[in-house]
Amino acid sequence: MAPTSSFPIIDMALLAGEERPAAMELLHDACENWGFFEVLNHGISTELMDEVEKMTKGHYKRVREQRFLEFASKALNDDGGQGAKAENLDWESTFFVRHLPESNLAGVPDLDDDYRRAMRRFAAELEDLAERLLDLLCENLGLEKGYLTRAFRGPAGAPTFGTKVSSYPPCPRPDLVSGLRAHTDAGGIILLFQDDRVGGLQLLRDGEWVDVPPVRHSIVVNLGDQLEVITNGRYKSVMHRVVAQADGNRMSIASFYNPGSDAVISPAPALVEKDAGGTYPRFVFEDYMKLYVRHKFEAKEPRFEAFKAMETETPNRIAIA
Ligand SMILES: O=C(O)CCC(=O)C(=O)O
Ligand SMILES: [Fe+2]
């Protein structure tokens, strides 16, 4: 099948019927050639999604907007009003909730009980969807079912799973500041519930920025650096960014299904050709994250190279890890 030229949208209902082979092929093509796709009929209740959206927007208005406006007026005036591009700034208001290995939801400040309850249910459904998707990827890659979830679980037996809740408020100078600067995601598989009216998310494809279209009740999926390593580059993480918008407040709820911090990540042996020199390194996920936080808004290749260099320099340290 020729690679799709428009943003891939996969109807997961087709996976249960006779159109399954075509849907699996579309998924494989999306993973190989886009690093991004959207899923419909993913099994997450649309009522729950509506509830989470309403509560997230209400929470921003009630708790976060004032704080953001104070930050925003300062941020744009920091250069004395000369209109220089703000290079180290993202026009977003966010908070983070961890679900696994242990939930910190009870301790996240300023959330009411209903919002906490809805978030907990939503996270459980997203976790299930992430694992179903990882198994579909295994099937397309010729890996045994459960290979990827097991690789992510690591010795401690749990992945790292968390949700970043963001608002991208209207920006008076979208020419000067990004909503979120370009990056690849460090982790495994990312599931995004994005605003169905206000767009802004773009991915880099063949040197051009392509919009990720808002589709009501869809979940946007993208692949992180760890899946690139495990698949030995068969699938790749892809640069993306959020463009600030002059009008509209964009909601985005991004959930990151990542390896456990102690998981050892390396290319799946079944995807490494015999006798071919490996292109991708082996490392402990936590070590990768330490490097990533300092170089997030940079190309991923030097991160992979840094770990390759460490492998040849200190084989014992790596063997112990
Ligand atoms: O908000 C979005 O649409 C994307 C967020 C994102 O890429 C991230 O947080 O890594
Ligand atoms: Fe991202």
Side-chain angles (χ1 to χ4, degrees):
M1 195 192 273
T4 26
S5 56
S6 59
F7 187 90
I9 298 183
I10 295 157
D11 180 353
M12 291 184 75
L14 300 181
L15 295 170
E18 32 181 73
E19 288 178 66
R20 188 170 204 278
M24 288 299 282
E25 178 66 34
L26 183 59
L27 175 65
H28 189 53
D29 177 65
C31 292
E32 276 198 318
N33 297 306
W34 289 81
F36 261 88
F37 53 93
E38 259 167 88
V39 289
L40 291 169
N41 293 315
H42 38 60
I44 300 182
S45 137
T46 53
E47 288 80 16
L48 179 59
M49 292 178 82
D50 291 344
E51 203 180 319
V52 166
E53 175 170 1
K54 197 164 146 243
M55 289 177 176
T56 300
K57 290 184 171 172
H59 177 261
Y60 175 76
K61 275 269 165 227
R62 211 175 51 253
V63 178
R64 309 193 63 89
E65 185 170 45
Q66 194 51 40
R67 221 180 298 163
F68 183 80
L69 292 175
E70 281 158 29
F71 150 83
S73 68
K74 192 170 164 310
L76 276 182
N77 289 322
D78 253 7
D79 68 337
Q82 291 168 33
K85 197 153 171 60
E87 302 287 357
N88 298 312
L89 194 70
D90 301 305
W91 195 263
E92 59 169 7
S93 165
T94 70
F95 68 95
F96 196 84
V97 183
R98 193 181 62 238
H99 313 297
L100 292 173
E102 279 134 32
S103 172
N104 72 347
L105 191 56
V108 178
D110 302 326
L111 308 183
D112 59 42
D113 287 348
D114 284 349
Y115 191 22
R116 262 183 245 275
R117 255 193 302 275
M119 269 297 184
R120 184 164 287 122
R121 276 179 59 209
F122 190 44
E125 297 216 19
L126 286 164
E127 184 189 336
D128 177 68
L129 176 59
E131 292 178 352
R132 278 186 283 134
L133 287 166
L134 287 174
D135 272 340
L136 294 172
L137 266 53
C138 284
E139 191 177 328
N140 271 335
L141 288 160
L143 297 172
E144 62 184 318
K145 192 170 173 356
Y147 183 92
L148 290 171
T149 47
R150 269 198 303 281
F152 281 21
R153 257 178 239 142
T160 311
F161 184 48
T163 296
K164 179 185 157 205
V165 181
S166 314
S167 297
Y168 297 92
C171 177
R173 296 299 304 268
D175 53 328
L176 297 184
V177 57
S178 299
L180 178 60
R181 289 161 285 163
H183 63 282
T184 64
D185 290 336
I189 192 162
I190 299 87
L191 307 186
L192 173 75
F193 173 22
Q194 66 164 342
D195 203 287
D196 65 351
R197 267 161 267 170
V198 186
L201 177 61
Q202 297 184 325
L203 63 94
L204 191 60
R205 189 163 192 260
D206 299 333
E208 306 218 349
W209 289 105
V210 178
D211 289 332
V212 176
V215 177
R216 187 162 161 76
H217 292 142
S218 77
I219 296 285
V220 178
V221 183
N222 71 291
L223 311 182
D225 296 347
Q226 305 312 304
L227 279 180
E228 176 163 341
V229 173
I230 297 173
T231 67
N232 199 30
R234 194 76 59 93
Y235 293 165
K236 291 197 168 58
S237 61
V238 162
M239 276 277 184
H240 52 283
R241 67 178 185 186
V242 179
V243 179
Q245 306 291 313
D247 298 305
N249 189 341
R250 174 172 183 267
M251 176 202 76
S252 109
I253 303 178
S255 297
F256 300 81
Y257 189 102
N258 291 350
S261 53
D262 58 350
V264 178
I265 299 300
S266 64
L271 301 178
V272 179
E273 285 194 26
K274 274 211 180 66
D275 305 325
T279 347
Y280 287 92
R282 173 188 185 87
F283 49 77
V284 178
F285 180 61
E286 187 177 33
D287 293 340
Y288 190 87
M289 286 312 283
K290 283 186 195 143
L291 184 66
Y292 179 81
V293 290
R294 288 186 281 126
H295 300 282
K296 171 169 173 174
F297 299 108
E298 296 169 29
K300 63 193 161 182
E301 289 81 5
R303 299 197 286 266
F304 297 150
E305 289 307 321
F307 281 102
K308 294 267 301 175
M310 269 185 253
E311 245 172 272
T312 40
E313 275 163 25
T314 53
N316 291 335
R317 161 76 179 73
I318 299 292
I320 291 162

Coordinates of all heavy atoms in Angstrom, one line a residue, residues 282 306-321:
R282 N 21.9 1.0 24.3 CA 21.2 0.3 25.4 C 21.5 1.2 26.6 O 22.6 1.6 26.9 CB 21.8 -1.1 25.6 CG 21.4 -1.9 26.7 CD 22.3 -3.1 26.8 NE 21.9 -4.0 27.9 CZ 21.0 -5.0 27.7 NH1 20.4 -5.2 26.5 NH2 20.6 -5.7 28.7
A306 N 25.2 9.9 22.5 CA 25.9 10.0 23.8 C 25.9 8.7 24.5 O 26.9 8.3 25.1 CB 25.2 11.1 24.7
F307 N 24.7 8.0 24.4 CA 24.7 6.7 25.1 C 25.5 5.6 24.3 O 26.0 4.7 25.0 CB 23.2 6.2 25.3 CG 22.6 6.9 26.4 CD1 21.7 8.0 26.3 CD2 22.9 6.5 27.7 CE1 21.2 8.7 27.3 CE2 22.3 7.2 28.8 CZ 21.5 8.3 28.6
K308 N 25.5 5.7 23.0 CA 26.4 4.8 22.3 C 27.8 5.0 22.7 O 28.5 4.0 22.9 CB 26.3 5.1 20.8 CG 25.0 4.9 20.1 CD 24.8 3.5 19.5 CE 25.9 3.2 18.5 NZ 25.7 1.8 18.0
A309 N 28.3 6.2 22.8 CA 29.6 6.5 23.3 C 29.9 5.9 24.6 O 30.9 5.3 24.9 CB 29.9 8.0 23.2
M310 N 28.9 6.0 25.5 CA 29.1 5.5 26.9 C 29.2 4.0 26.9 O 30.0 3.4 27.6 CB 27.9 5.9 27.8 CG 28.1 7.2 28.5 SD 26.6 7.4 29.5 CE 25.8 8.7 28.7
E311 N 28.5 3.4 26.0 CA 28.5 1.9 25.9 C 29.9 1.4 25.6 O 30.4 0.4 26.1 CB 27.6 1.4 24.7 CG 26.4 0.7 25.1 CD 25.5 0.4 24.0 OE1 24.6 1.3 23.7 OE2 25.7 -0.6 23.3
T312 N 30.6 2.1 24.6 CA 32.0 1.6 24.3 C 33.0 2.0 25.3 O 33.9 1.3 25.5 CB 32.4 2.2 22.9 OG1 31.9 3.5 22.8 CG2 31.8 1.4 21.8
E313 N 32.7 3.2 26.0 CA 33.7 3.6 27.0 C 33.7 2.8 28.3 O 34.7 2.5 28.9 CB 33.4 5.1 27.4 CG 34.1 6.1 26.4 CD 33.5 7.4 26.6 OE1 32.9 7.7 27.6 OE2 33.5 8.2 25.6
T314 N 32.4 2.5 28.8 CA 32.3 1.9 30.1 C 31.4 0.6 30.0 O 30.3 0.6 30.5 CB 31.7 2.8 31.1 OG1 30.5 3.4 30.5 CG2 32.6 4.0 31.4
P315 N 31.9 -0.4 29.3 CA 31.0 -1.6 29.1 C 30.6 -2.2 30.5 O 29.5 -2.7 30.5 CB 31.9 -2.6 28.3 CG 33.3 -2.0 28.4 CD 33.2 -0.6 28.7
N316 N 31.4 -2.1 31.5 CA 31.0 -2.7 32.8 C 29.8 -2.0 33.4 O 28.9 -2.7 33.9 CB 32.2 -2.7 33.8 CG 33.2 -3.7 33.3 OD1 33.0 -4.6 32.6 ND2 34.5 -3.4 33.7
R317 N 29.8 -0.7 33.4 CA 28.7 0.1 34.0 C 27.4 -0.3 33.3 O 26.4 -0.5 33.9 CB 29.0 1.6 33.8 CG 27.8 2.5 33.9 CD 27.4 2.7 35.4 NE 26.3 3.6 35.5 CZ 25.0 3.3 35.2 NH1 24.7 2.2 34.6 NH2 24.1 4.2 35.4
I318 N 27.5 -0.5 32.0 CA 26.3 -0.8 31.2 C 25.9 -2.2 31.5 O 24.7 -2.5 31.7 CB 26.5 -0.6 29.7 CG1 26.9 0.9 29.4 CG2 25.4 -1.0 28.8 CD1 25.8 1.9 29.6
A319 N 26.8 -3.1 31.6 CA 26.5 -4.5 31.9 C 25.8 -4.6 33.2 O 24.8 -5.4 33.4 CB 27.8 -5.4 31.8
I320 N 26.3 -3.9 34.2 CA 25.7 -3.9 35.5 C 24.2 -3.3 35.4 O 23.3 -3.9 36.0 CB 26.5 -3.1 36.5 CG1 27.8 -3.8 36.8 CG2 25.8 -3.0 37.9 CD1 28.9 -3.0 37.4
A321 N 24.1 -2.2 34.7 CA 22.8 -1.6 34.6 C 21.8 -2.6 33.9 O 20.7 -2.6 34.3 CB 22.9 -0.3 33.8

